Amino acid sequence: ILDYKLPYQIVPLERYGNMIFFNSAINGVVGIALSFCFSRIIAVKLGGEPYLWCMVLASTLLLISCLSCHSMKPIENAGSLVRKSSMSTKQLLEMFRSPKFLAIILPTLLRGITFGITGSMVLIMLNLGYSDADASKLPIITACGCLLAAGIHHVLSHKMKMPNIGTVGSILLLSVLFLPKGNTYLFYFLYLMVYTGQMLIDCTIPIMVIHIVDPQIAGAYNAWRNTLLFLVSTISTYVTAVLLEKGLVMVVLIACAVGYSLGMILHKRMYYRFTD
């Protein structure tokens, strides 16, 4: 969550969109490579404890990422964007009561619902009758979606306004309503559309927010926004598992589609309200 505060201090605002694009593209490429790597480790049952080795590798990569971020420094011409001291309790409470923060609560709650459901896609796939082997390939589809979304976002950013890119993502995400039983490749294709749509929205919203929020509080604003997002996502993940146990797959899929789509509509209204 705190990682969201870094870009506002080390990336010029006019280049923030490009940063989102390259970050998503790199995540996609590396994600595809690592997904194949993890699948291979599990397939050969490396050392008799393949999942342990996967966790060791993943933890090592996280440590490298942490050390890399630690070495970053604010750019010289962005000194005015960097808060010299932590926000006081009074300043924090003022931010919580501000119209811009209050306006973000409902759409963030809705996005959190979908975030938890798409994060439980393996459970959904198993509930629809697919095998463990089929479900194990979902991380590869996810990585491909990340890469595809980065490319689409880069192209569309030169052709349409930022909120409209999020609308395109919402339309793609509606594919979740048509996830089939008994057709693995169609499931993969539709899930690719779903995740691509989700990533388009996730690439768009931070750029919209950066044009709304005062850069001086952008880091804190996004940290608390994402705290709320992940809190709701955790609850959503639990509720999703309960609903799937009761066989209410369609209810879960509808909630998934409505959450991000309606959330994007509210973000769009918020954007025009505070930028016009």
Side-chain angles (χ1 to χ4, degrees):
I1 294 172
L2 295 178
D3 176 62
Y4 277 84
K5 191 171 183 176
L6 289 174
Y8 294 97
Q9 298 185 4
I10 62 177
V11 180
L13 300 186
E14 66 273 11
R15 298 182 183 176
Y16 191 77
N18 289 333
M19 186 277 294
I20 290 287
F21 162 68
F22 286 114
N23 183 64
S24 298
I26 292 172
N27 283 343
V29 173
V30 175
I32 292 171
L34 287 176
S35 294
F36 278 110
C37 180
F38 288 146
S39 297
R40 183 60 181 168
I41 290 174
I42 294 172
V44 301
K45 298 181 179 179
L46 183 65
E49 295 287 348
Y51 293 102
L52 176 61
W53 283 108
C54 287
M55 293 302 297
V56 169
L57 177 57
S59 298
T60 302
L61 293 172
L62 284 173
L63 178 60
I64 294 173
S65 175
C66 181
L67 294 175
S68 298
C69 289
H70 182 71
S71 66
M72 294 180 181
K73 295 181 180 180
I75 54 178
E76 292 182 4
N77 61 352
S80 61
L81 303 181
V82 182
R83 179 170 290 278
K84 303 301 182 181
S85 59
S86 300
M87 294 182 71
S88 65
T89 302
K90 181 180 179 180
Q91 290 172 319
L92 196 58
L93 291 175
E94 288 177 354
M95 184 190 74
F96 288 153
R97 291 194 295 264
S98 68
K100 293 179 181 179
F101 192 85
L102 293 175
I104 205 73
I105 292 178
L106 180 56
T108 300
L109 292 174
L110 292 168
R111 287 183 65 220
I113 293 173
T114 296
F115 206 80
I117 295 173
T118 54
S120 304
M121 192 56 64
V122 170
L123 293 179
I124 294 174
M125 195 170 187
L126 293 175
N127 192 272
L128 289 173
Y130 294 95
S131 67
D132 292 348
D134 292 332
S136 69
K137 295 181 177 64
L138 283 181
I140 299 175
I141 306 300
T142 298
C144 290
C146 191
L147 184 60
L148 181 59
I152 294 174
H153 187 276
H154 181 68
V155 172
L156 294 184
S157 63
H158 299 291
K159 299 180 181 297
M160 60 176 60
K161 294 181 179 180
M162 199 57 58
N164 293 333
I165 298 177
T167 301
V168 173
S170 298
I171 294 172
L172 290 176
L173 196 138
L174 293 177
S175 300
V176 75
L177 297 172
F178 306 99
L179 293 177
K181 291 184 178 180
N183 191 329
T184 307
Y185 291 105
L186 179 58
F187 187 100
Y188 288 156
F189 173 76
L190 291 177
Y191 177 60
L192 177 64
M193 295 298 101
V194 170
Y195 197 79
T196 299
Q198 180 176 337
M199 284 302 301
L200 275 177
I201 296 173
D202 288 344
C203 287
T204 300
I205 287 178
I207 301 173
M208 292 168 60
V209 170
I210 204 172
H211 288 94
I212 297 173
V213 183
D214 180 356
Q216 286 287 346
I217 64 168
Y221 182 94
N222 274 278
W224 284 101
R225 178 176 69 87
N226 283 282
T227 298
L228 179 61
L229 175 66
F230 291 118
L231 175 62
V232 176
S233 172
T234 301
I235 298 173
S236 174
T237 301
Y238 172 76
V239 174
T240 296
V242 172
L243 292 175
L244 291 176
E245 287 181 357
K246 298 180 179 297
L248 301 175
V249 182
M250 201 60 205
V251 173
V252 172
L253 299 183
I254 291 174
C256 180
V258 171
Y260 249 52
S261 299
L262 183 55
M264 185 61 222
I265 292 173
L266 294 176
H267 272 97
K268 190 172 181 178
R269 289 183 60 188
M270 177 185 174
Y271 177 82
Y272 287 121
R273 172 186 173 190
F274 291 110
T275 57
D276 288 344

